[in-house]
Amino acid sequence: MSLPETITAYLAAHEAHDTDAELRLLAPDATVTDEGHTYRGHAEIAAWLRRSASEYTYTSTLTGTERVDDDHYVATHHLEGDFPGGVVDLHFRFTLHNGLIERLVIGP
């Protein structure tokens, strides 16, 4: 299954650690939840993106996609690296609104 262009562009920017490109794909009032913390708006999300990009070294492989409905999609990634546990499958749960990412929840 193919994902909407907004999501594929976000995932490519995320892998390239291109924070500016990621932010262009997020609604101004977007929220991102990762590791139990929720970040609201571009300023908080940008700080989280920059910190998370430098925290660990890892490889990421897209292993699955799912369309839940017209506005909700899931992209599953297999990560291996120097983070605690070393291996994890993460689900990136996207909510779209007006062509932008309104909400992203990352977790197992």
Side-chain angles (χ1 to χ4, degrees):
M1 186 211 105
S2 64
L3 295 168
E5 176 61 29
T6 299
I7 295 174
T8 57
Y10 176 86
L11 293 172
H14 189 71
E15 186 160 327
H17 304 296
D18 186 345
T19 300
D20 292 335
E22 290 171 280
L23 292 175
R24 284 192 295 273
L25 298 162
L26 296 169
D29 60 347
T31 62
V32 174
T33 302
D34 182 37
E35 297 186 61
H37 300 284
T38 299
Y39 307 93
R40 291 176 173 79
H42 282 194
E44 286 185 18
I45 293 170
W48 163 75
L49 286 168
R50 289 184 181 106
R51 186 183 70 254
S52 64
S54 63
E55 197 168 15
Y56 300 109
T57 303
Y58 59 88
T59 60
S60 176
T61 305
L62 179 65
T63 58
T65 61
E66 176 186 0
R67 176 186 176 271
V68 178
D69 60 33
D70 287 344
D71 297 323
H72 298 88
Y73 296 83
V74 179
T76 303
H77 285 83
H78 180 77
L79 278 67
E80 294 185 20
D82 61 1
F83 51 86
V87 177
V88 67
D89 290 316
L90 291 180
H91 303 281
F92 287 61
R93 295 172 179 89
F94 292 92
T95 301
L96 301 179
H97 183 71
N98 292 331
L100 294 174
I101 299 165
E102 179 178 67
R103 183 167 190 231
L104 170 58
V105 178
I106 303 169

